[in-house]
Amino acid sequence: MKMKNMGNMMKQMQKMQKDMAKEQEQLKEETVEATAGGGIVKVIASGDKRILDIQISEEAVDPDDVEMLEDLVLAATNEVLSKVDELVEERMGKFAKGMNIPGMM
């Protein structure tokens, strides 16, 4: 009886691994965006934390205040990475819910 339960558990774990791998592949195709400075800087990232695009409005470019532009780019980049973390937690966290395995979320 124990072997049957162990076999079922192994099948469930294999299915979960397959589902997780599929979800991770889908996350690569997802995009998340964040803005700073009222939208004058926009950063777009993929679900696997690759920065895909940075858009900067002309009004943000002031040769006398480069530091402000750097701060806006940094703020938008940090925000988009936080949003990616939220997306990943939302999509991948479901695999750890209800499981009581040490080392898992």
Side-chain angles (χ1 to χ4, degrees):
M1 190 69 166
K2 287 183 182 182
M3 291 301 272
K4 185 176 181 183
N5 287 339
M6 187 65 131
N8 286 340
M9 191 167 88
M10 291 300 291
K11 285 180 185 176
Q12 288 176 330
M13 292 297 286
Q14 288 170 342
K15 182 185 181 320
M16 186 175 75
Q17 284 179 319
K18 188 183 288 187
D19 291 345
M20 286 176 66
K22 182 180 175 185
E23 197 71 50
Q24 287 173 329
E25 284 301 311
Q26 289 176 342
L27 279 169
K28 290 179 183 179
E29 303 301 318
E30 298 269 341
T31 59
V32 179
E33 66 180 58
T35 61
I40 60 175
V41 172
K42 178 165 59 170
V43 177
I44 301 170
S46 65
D48 63 343
K49 290 192 174 182
R50 289 181 298 120
I51 303 301
L52 302 174
D53 193 20
I54 297 176
Q55 299 170 4
I56 302 172
S57 298
E58 286 183 29
E59 63 198 70
V61 182
D62 180 356
D64 296 326
D65 195 2
V66 173
E67 189 174 321
M68 181 198 66
L69 178 56
E70 292 169 342
D71 289 344
L72 291 173
V73 170
L74 186 61
T77 302
N78 284 329
E79 177 69 19
V80 83
L81 292 177
S82 290
K83 287 182 175 187
V84 170
D85 285 342
E86 290 171 13
L87 175 67
V88 169
E89 175 60 30
E90 176 185 311
R91 301 285 289 282
M92 300 302 288
K94 63 186 172 193
F95 293 105
K97 283 186 176 34
M99 295 185 70
N100 204 5
I101 299 172
M104 298 279 295
M105 295 180 204

